[in-house]
Amino acid sequence: EAGVTQFPSHSVIEKGQTVTLRCDPISGHDNLYWYRRVMGKEIKFLLHFVKESKQDESGMPNNRFLAERTGGTYSTLKVQPAELEDSGVYFCASSPPDVGDTEAFFGQGTRLTVV
Amino acid sequence: ELKVEQNPLFLSMQEGKNYTIYCNYSTTSDRLYWYRQDPGKSLESLFVLLSNGAVKQEGRLMASLDTKARLSTLHITAAVHDLSATYFCAVDIWGAQKLVFGQGTRLTINP
């Protein structure tokens, strides 16, 4: 069974440009989460989808970040325009639809560097 | 706001030695997770601890949970080089379906 897959694995962009990260969750997992780890800091929650609906987006840092999950399958996280402080590793995770089950499976992350 | 603190943040040890990583959290929680991450790889779930006094073991790793002290430990016995990785603890905010992570402990085991 395929795990959570993220694309690209690395991205280097200039300040002011736009970047779109993609996450393909495990098939059948209704819950999809985005997390971010800024250099040397803890991994922080960004948002949570249940199918195509945003359940909790309290961790989104500002309106330069837009997450979508059309059709309830894969998700994208777009940063526009990117700033230097957006650099970090962006993780996606998914979990089955059981209520209260938060044991999530993580992807390998996308390392974003804004220069 | 729930805070999760790990210590130490960096740990360098020799093969064959024992050591413990500590994870303190600030608010009552129902679940605590330990993850392992190798460079460039995904976070791999090691243990899920659900109740006070829970103890789980897998190979040379053993995790425990004391909900009254809001403390979890990850104990490494007779370390081997393959255990070199970054270890994270994470706490579930019940009903919120999101994890609050510690800063991670980078463990290096030298031959």
Side-chain angles (χ1 to χ4, degrees):
Chain A
E1 179 183 338
V4 177
T5 309
Q6 293 185 243
F7 302 97
S9 55
H10 294 85
S11 180
V12 181
I13 63 171
E14 292 185 349
K15 176 182 171 181
Q17 288 186 322
T18 298
V19 64
T20 300
L21 314 181
R22 174 171 168 145
C23 169
D24 286 74
I26 293 172
S27 178
H29 281 194
D30 288 352
N31 294 295
L32 187 149
Y33 312 83
W34 284 98
Y35 289 84
R36 175 175 77 168
R37 189 184 192 202
V38 172
M39 181 70 73
K41 301 277 182 79
E42 67 272 22
I43 299 170
K44 284 198 170 181
F45 169 85
L46 295 179
L47 86 159
H48 170 210
F49 283 100
V50 177
K51 297 184 179 178
E52 67 274 10
S53 299
K54 291 176 186 175
Q55 183 79 7
D56 181 348
E57 52 184 330
S58 60
M60 294 287 264
N62 52 60
N63 58 11
R64 295 186 292 103
F65 289 75
L66 175 64
E68 295 181 322
R69 193 182 181 194
T70 306
T73 54
Y74 71 91
S75 175
T76 58
L77 179 64
K78 182 162 72 172
V79 185
Q80 179 183 28
E83 298 289 344
L84 299 179
E85 64 263 26
D86 301 332
S87 296
V89 181
Y90 290 76
F91 291 100
C92 175
S94 70
S95 70
D98 297 344
V99 174
D101 182 344
T102 60
E103 181 164 13
F105 296 86
F106 282 79
Q108 82 281 14
T110 294
R111 181 175 294 277
L112 174 65
T113 304
V114 183
V115 297
Chain B
E1 180 186 352
L2 174 61
K3 291 188 184 294
V4 180
E5 293 189 350
Q6 284 181 238
N7 71 85
L9 300 184
F10 299 93
L11 178 56
S12 181
M13 54 194 289
Q14 288 190 317
E15 282 191 326
K17 300 291 186 182
N18 304 333
Y19 212 80
T20 301
I21 300 171
Y22 297 89
C23 175
N24 289 89
Y25 54 98
S26 61
T27 306
T28 301
S29 173
D30 288 282
R31 301 185 185 198
L32 189 137
Y33 300 83
W34 283 97
Y35 287 92
R36 166 183 173 150
Q37 189 193 20
D38 293 291
K41 301 290 180 64
S42 61
L43 278 77
E44 173 193 355
S45 177
L46 296 174
F47 301 107
V48 182
L49 302 170
L50 300 177
S51 60
N52 187 43
V55 177
K56 291 194 174 180
Q57 183 163 3
E58 180 72 34
R60 300 175 188 274
L61 301 178
M62 183 174 70
S64 66
L65 178 63
D66 180 344
T67 58
K68 294 179 181 178
R70 296 177 186 165
L71 171 69
S72 179
T73 61
L74 180 66
H75 187 73
I76 302 148
T77 302
V80 293
H81 179 68
D82 287 351
L83 291 178
S84 296
T86 299
Y87 292 85
F88 294 93
C89 65
V91 174
D92 171 25
I93 301 175
W94 179 249
Q97 296 202 357
K98 63 188 183 187
L99 300 179
V100 179
F101 282 84
Q103 309 96 308
T105 296
R106 183 181 293 181
L107 174 63
T108 303
I109 298 169
N110 305 303

